[in-house]
Coordinates of all heavy atoms in Angstrom, one line a residue:
P1408 N 0.9 -1.2 0.0 CA 0.0 -0.1 -0.1 C 0.8 1.2 0.0 O 0.5 2.3 -0.6 CB -0.8 -0.1 1.3 CG -0.9 -1.6 1.7 CD 0.5 -2.2 1.1
K1409 N 2.0 1.3 0.7 CA 2.8 2.5 0.6 C 3.4 2.8 -0.8 O 3.4 3.9 -1.2 CB 4.1 2.2 1.5 CG 3.7 1.9 3.0 CD 3.2 3.1 3.8 CE 3.0 2.8 5.1 NZ 2.4 3.7 5.9
F1410 N 3.8 1.7 -1.6 CA 4.2 2.0 -2.9 C 3.1 2.4 -3.9 O 3.3 3.1 -4.8 CB 4.8 0.7 -3.4 CG 6.2 0.5 -2.8 CD1 6.4 -0.7 -2.1 CD2 7.2 1.4 -2.8 CE1 7.6 -1.0 -1.6 CE2 8.4 1.2 -2.2 CZ 8.6 0.0 -1.5
S1411 N 1.9 1.9 -3.7 CA 0.8 2.4 -4.6 C 0.4 3.8 -4.3 O 0.1 4.4 -5.4 CB -0.5 1.4 -4.3 OG -1.0 1.6 -3.1
N1412 N 0.6 4.3 -3.2 CA 0.3 5.7 -2.9 C 1.3 6.6 -3.5 O 1.0 7.7 -3.9 CB 0.1 5.8 -1.5 CG -0.5 7.3 -1.1 OD1 -1.0 7.9 -1.9 ND2 -0.3 7.6 0.2
T1413 N 2.5 6.1 -3.6 CA 3.6 6.9 -4.0 C 3.5 7.2 -5.6 O 3.8 8.3 -6.0 CB 4.9 6.0 -3.8 OG1 5.1 5.8 -2.5 CG2 6.1 6.8 -4.4
K1414 N 2.9 6.3 -6.3 CA 2.8 6.6 -7.8 C 1.7 7.7 -8.0 O 2.1 8.5 -8.8 CB 2.2 5.2 -8.4 CG 2.1 5.4 -9.9 CD 1.7 4.1 -10.6 CE 1.4 4.4 -12.1 NZ 0.9 3.2 -12.8
E1415 N 0.6 7.7 -7.3 CA -0.3 8.9 -7.4 C 0.4 10.2 -7.1 O 0.1 11.2 -7.6 CB -1.5 8.5 -6.5 CG -2.5 9.7 -6.8 CD -3.9 9.3 -6.1 OE1 -4.1 8.3 -5.6 OE2 -4.8 10.1 -6.2
K1416 N 1.2 10.2 -5.9 CA 1.8 11.5 -5.6 C 2.7 11.9 -6.6 O 2.9 13.1 -6.9 CB 2.6 11.3 -4.2 CG 1.7 11.1 -3.0 CD 2.6 10.9 -1.8 CE 1.8 10.8 -0.6 NZ 2.6 10.7 0.6
A1417 N 3.4 10.9 -7.3 CA 4.3 11.3 -8.5 C 3.5 12.0 -9.6 O 4.0 12.9 -10.1 CB 5.1 10.2 -8.8
V1418 N 2.3 11.4 -9.9 CA 1.6 12.0 -11.0 C 1.1 13.3 -10.6 O 1.1 14.2 -11.4 CB 0.4 10.9 -11.2 CG1 -0.6 11.5 -12.2 CG2 0.9 9.6 -11.8
I1419 N 0.6 13.5 -9.4 CA 0.2 14.8 -9.0 C 1.3 15.9 -9.0 O 1.1 16.9 -9.5 CB -0.5 14.8 -7.5 CG1 -1.8 14.0 -7.7 CG2 -0.8 16.2 -7.0 CD1 -2.3 13.6 -6.4
S1420 N 2.5 15.4 -8.6 CA 3.6 16.4 -8.7 C 4.0 16.7 -10.2 O 4.3 17.9 -10.3 CB 4.9 15.6 -8.2 OG 4.7 15.5 -6.7
A1421 N 3.9 15.8 -11.0 CA 4.1 16.0 -12.5 C 3.0 17.1 -13.0 O 3.4 17.9 -13.9 CB 4.1 14.9 -13.3
M1422 N 1.7 16.9 -12.6 CA 0.7 17.8 -13.0 C 1.1 19.2 -12.5 O 0.8 20.2 -13.2 CB -0.7 17.3 -12.5 CG -1.1 16.0 -13.2 SD -2.7 15.4 -12.9 CE -3.3 16.1 -11.4
K1423 N 1.4 19.4 -11.2 CA 1.7 20.7 -10.7 C 3.0 21.3 -11.4 O 3.0 22.6 -11.7 CB 2.0 20.6 -9.3 CG 0.8 20.3 -8.3 CD 1.2 20.2 -6.9 CE 0.0 20.0 -6.0 NZ 0.4 19.9 -4.6
S1424 N 4.0 20.4 -11.8 CA 5.1 20.9 -12.4 C 4.8 21.5 -13.8 O 5.2 22.6 -14.3 CB 6.1 19.8 -12.6 OG 7.2 20.3 -13.3
D1425 N 3.8 20.7 -14.5 CA 3.4 21.2 -15.9 C 2.7 22.6 -15.8 O 2.8 23.4 -16.6 CB 2.4 20.1 -16.5 CG 3.2 19.0 -17.2 OD1 4.5 19.2 -17.3 OD2 2.5 18.1 -17.6
L1426 N 1.8 22.8 -14.7 CA 1.2 24.0 -14.5 C 2.2 25.1 -14.2 O 2.0 26.3 -14.8 CB 0.2 23.9 -13.4 CG -1.1 23.3 -13.8 CD1 -2.0 23.0 -12.6 CD2 -1.9 23.8 -15.0
R1427 N 3.3 24.9 -13.4 CA 4.3 25.9 -13.2 C 5.0 26.2 -14.5 O 5.3 27.4 -14.8 CB 5.2 25.4 -12.1 CG 4.6 25.4 -10.7 CD 5.7 25.1 -9.7 NE 5.1 24.8 -8.4 CZ 5.0 23.4 -8.0 NH1 5.5 22.5 -8.8 NH2 4.3 23.2 -6.8
N1428 N 5.2 25.2 -15.3 CA 5.9 25.5 -16.7 C 5.0 26.2 -17.5 O 5.4 27.1 -18.3 CB 6.3 24.1 -17.3 CG 7.4 23.5 -16.6 OD1 8.2 24.2 -15.9 ND2 7.5 22.1 -16.7
Y1429 N 3.7 26.0 -17.5 CA 2.7 26.6 -18.3 C 2.7 28.1 -17.9 O 2.6 28.9 -18.7 CB 1.3 26.0 -18.0 CG 0.3 26.5 -19.1 CD1 0.1 26.1 -20.3 CD2 -0.6 27.6 -18.6 CE1 -0.9 26.6 -21.2 CE2 -1.6 28.1 -19.5 CZ -1.7 27.6 -20.7 OH -2.7 28.1 -21.6
A1430 N 2.8 28.3 -16.6 CA 2.8 29.8 -16.1 C 4.1 30.5 -16.7 O 4.0 31.6 -17.3 CB 2.9 29.8 -14.6
S1431 N 5.2 29.9 -16.7 CA 6.4 30.4 -17.3 C 6.2 30.7 -18.9 O 6.6 31.7 -19.3 CB 7.6 29.6 -17.1 OG 7.9 29.4 -15.8
S1432 N 5.6 29.7 -19.4 CA 5.3 29.9 -20.8 C 4.3 31.1 -21.1 O 4.6 31.7 -22.0 CB 4.6 28.6 -21.5 OG 5.6 27.6 -21.3
Q1433 N 3.3 31.2 -20.2 CA 2.4 32.4 -20.4 C 3.2 33.7 -20.3 O 2.9 34.6 -21.0 CB 1.3 32.3 -19.4 CG 0.2 31.4 -19.8 CD -0.7 31.9 -21.0 OE1 -0.5 33.0 -21.5 NE2 -1.7 31.1 -21.1
E1434 N 4.1 33.8 -19.3 CA 4.8 35.0 -19.1 C 5.8 35.2 -20.3 O 6.0 36.5 -20.7 CB 5.6 35.0 -17.9 CG 4.8 34.9 -16.6 CD 3.9 36.0 -16.5 OE1 4.2 37.1 -16.9 OE2 2.6 35.8 -16.0
S1435 N 6.4 34.2 -20.8 CA 7.1 34.3 -22.1 C 6.3 34.9 -23.2 O 6.8 35.7 -23.9 CB 7.9 33.0 -22.4 OG 8.6 33.2 -23.5
Y1436 N 5.1 34.2 -23.4 CA 4.2 34.6 -24.5 C 3.9 36.2 -24.2 O 3.7 37.0 -25.1 CB 3.0 33.9 -24.4 CG 2.1 34.1 -25.6 CD1 2.2 33.4 -26.8 CD2 0.9 34.9 -25.4 CE1 1.3 33.6 -27.9 CE2 0.0 35.2 -26.5 CZ 0.2 34.5 -27.6 OH -0.6 34.6 -28.7
Y1437 N 3.5 36.5 -23.0 CA 3.1 38.0 -22.6 C 4.3 38.8 -23.0 O 4.1 40.0 -23.4 CB 2.7 38.0 -21.2 CG 2.2 39.3 -20.7 CD1 0.9 39.7 -21.0 CD2 3.1 40.4 -20.3 CE1 0.4 40.9 -20.6 CE2 2.5 41.6 -19.9 CZ 1.2 41.9 -20.1 OH 0.6 43.1 -19.9
A1438 N 5.6 38.4 -22.7 CA 6.8 39.3 -22.9 C 6.8 39.6 -24.5 O 7.3 40.6 -24.9 CB 8.0 38.6 -22.5
D1439 N 6.4 38.6 -25.4 CA 6.5 38.8 -26.8 C 5.4 39.5 -27.4 O 5.6 40.3 -28.3 CB 6.6 37.3 -27.5 CG 7.8 36.6 -27.1 OD1 8.8 37.3 -26.8 OD2 8.0 35.4 -27.5
Y1440 N 4.1 39.3 -26.8 CA 2.9 39.8 -27.6 C 2.0 40.8 -26.6 O 1.1 41.3 -27.0 CB 2.0 38.7 -27.9 CG 2.7 37.8 -28.9 CD1 3.1 36.5 -28.5 CD2 2.9 38.2 -30.3 CE1 3.7 35.7 -29.4 CE2 3.5 37.4 -31.2 CZ 3.9 36.1 -30.9 OH 4.5 35.2 -31.7
T1441 N 2.5 41.1 -25.3 CA 1.9 41.9 -24.5 C 0.4 41.5 -24.2 O -0.4 42.3 -24.0 CB 2.0 43.4 -24.8 OG1 1.3 43.7 -25.9 CG2 3.5 43.9 -24.7
T1442 N 0.2 40.3 -24.3 CA -1.1 39.7 -24.0 C -1.0 38.2 -23.5 O -0.1 37.6 -24.1 CB -2.1 39.9 -25.1 OG1 -3.4 39.4 -24.8 CG2 -1.7 39.1 -26.3
Y1443 N -2.0 37.7 -22.9 CA -1.8 36.2 -22.5 C -2.7 35.6 -23.5 O -3.7 36.2 -24.1 CB -2.6 36.1 -21.1 CG -1.6 36.6 -20.1 CD1 -2.0 37.6 -19.1 CD2 -0.5 35.9 -19.7 CE1 -1.3 38.0 -18.1 CE2 0.4 36.4 -18.7 CZ -0.1 37.4 -17.9 OH 0.7 37.9 -16.8
G1444 N -2.4 34.4 -23.8 CA -3.1 33.6 -24.9 C -3.3 32.2 -24.5 O -2.9 31.7 -23.5
D1445 N -4.1 31.5 -25.4 CA -4.3 30.0 -25.2 C -3.2 29.3 -25.7 O -3.0 29.3 -27.1 CB -5.6 29.7 -25.9 CG -6.1 28.2 -25.6 OD1 -5.2 27.6 -24.8 OD2 -6.9 27.8 -26.3
L1446 N -2.3 28.7 -25.0 CA -1.1 28.0 -25.4 C -1.3 26.5 -25.5 O -0.3 25.8 -25.6 CB 0.0 28.3 -24.4 CG 0.4 29.8 -24.3 CD1 1.6 29.9 -23.3 CD2 0.7 30.4 -25.7
T1447 N -2.5 26.1 -25.4 CA -2.7 24.6 -25.4 C -2.1 23.9 -26.6 O -1.4 22.9 -26.4 CB -4.4 24.4 -25.5 OG1 -4.9 25.0 -24.3 CG2 -4.6 22.8 -25.4
G1448 N -2.2 24.4 -27.8 CA -1.7 23.7 -28.9 C -0.5 24.2 -29.5 O 0.1 23.9 -30.4
N1449 N 0.1 25.3 -28.7 CA 1.4 26.0 -29.2 C 2.5 25.4 -28.6 O 2.9 25.8 -27.5 CB 1.1 27.5 -28.8 CG 2.1 28.4 -29.4 OD1 3.1 27.8 -30.0 ND2 1.8 29.6 -29.4
T1450 N 3.1 24.5 -29.3 CA 4.2 23.8 -28.8 C 5.5 24.6 -28.9 O 6.6 24.2 -28.3 CB 4.5 22.4 -29.6 OG1 4.6 22.8 -31.0 CG2 3.4 21.5 -29.4
A1451 N 5.5 25.8 -29.5 CA 6.6 26.7 -29.4 C 6.8 27.2 -28.1 O 8.0 27.6 -27.7 CB 6.5 27.9 -30.5
Y1452 N 5.7 27.4 -27.4 CA 5.8 27.9 -25.9 C 5.6 26.9 -24.9 O 6.4 27.1 -23.8 CB 4.7 29.1 -25.8 CG 5.2 30.3 -26.5 CD1 4.7 30.6 -27.7 CD2 5.9 31.3 -25.8 CE1 5.1 31.8 -28.4 CE2 6.1 32.4 -26.3 CZ 5.9 32.7 -27.7 OH 6.2 33.8 -28.4
F1453 N 4.8 25.9 -25.1 CA 4.6 24.9 -24.0 C 4.3 23.5 -24.6 O 3.7 23.3 -25.5 CB 3.3 25.4 -23.2 CG 3.1 24.4 -22.1 CD1 3.8 24.3 -21.0 CD2 2.0 23.5 -22.2 CE1 3.5 23.4 -20.0 CE2 1.6 22.6 -21.2 CZ 2.4 22.5 -20.1
R1454 N 5.0 22.7 -23.9 CA 4.8 21.2 -24.2 C 4.7 20.4 -22.9 O 5.7 20.4 -22.1 CB 5.8 20.6 -25.1 CG 5.6 19.0 -25.4 CD 6.6 18.7 -26.6 NE 6.6 19.5 -27.7 CZ 7.6 19.8 -28.4 NH1 8.9 19.3 -28.1 NH2 7.6 20.5 -29.5

């Protein structure tokens, strides 16, 4: 049971990390275009 809980914690940590990276991508996009945008499919800024 200890190991099965560890996998879910790792997945949640990866999701939080992706959101932090998305925030950095939004700020990079804002620096280029002075507006926030939808970066969902824009692999130049976020993957």
Side-chain angles (χ1 to χ4, degrees):
K1409 301 286 183 188
F1410 289 124
S1411 66
N1412 191 18
T1413 303
K1414 183 178 178 183
E1415 184 172 357
K1416 285 182 180 179
V1418 168
I1419 291 171
S1420 293
M1422 291 183 344
K1423 287 181 179 181
S1424 177
D1425 276 355
L1426 287 175
R1427 288 187 195 100
N1428 291 338
Y1429 188 84
S1431 296
S1432 300
Q1433 280 286 6
E1434 295 304 322
S1435 176
Y1436 187 87
Y1437 187 85
D1439 290 344
Y1440 300 105
T1441 63
T1442 185
Y1443 292 114
D1445 182 7
L1446 302 181
T1447 301
N1449 193 341
T1450 58
Y1452 283 92
F1453 176 75
R1454 185 174 299 151

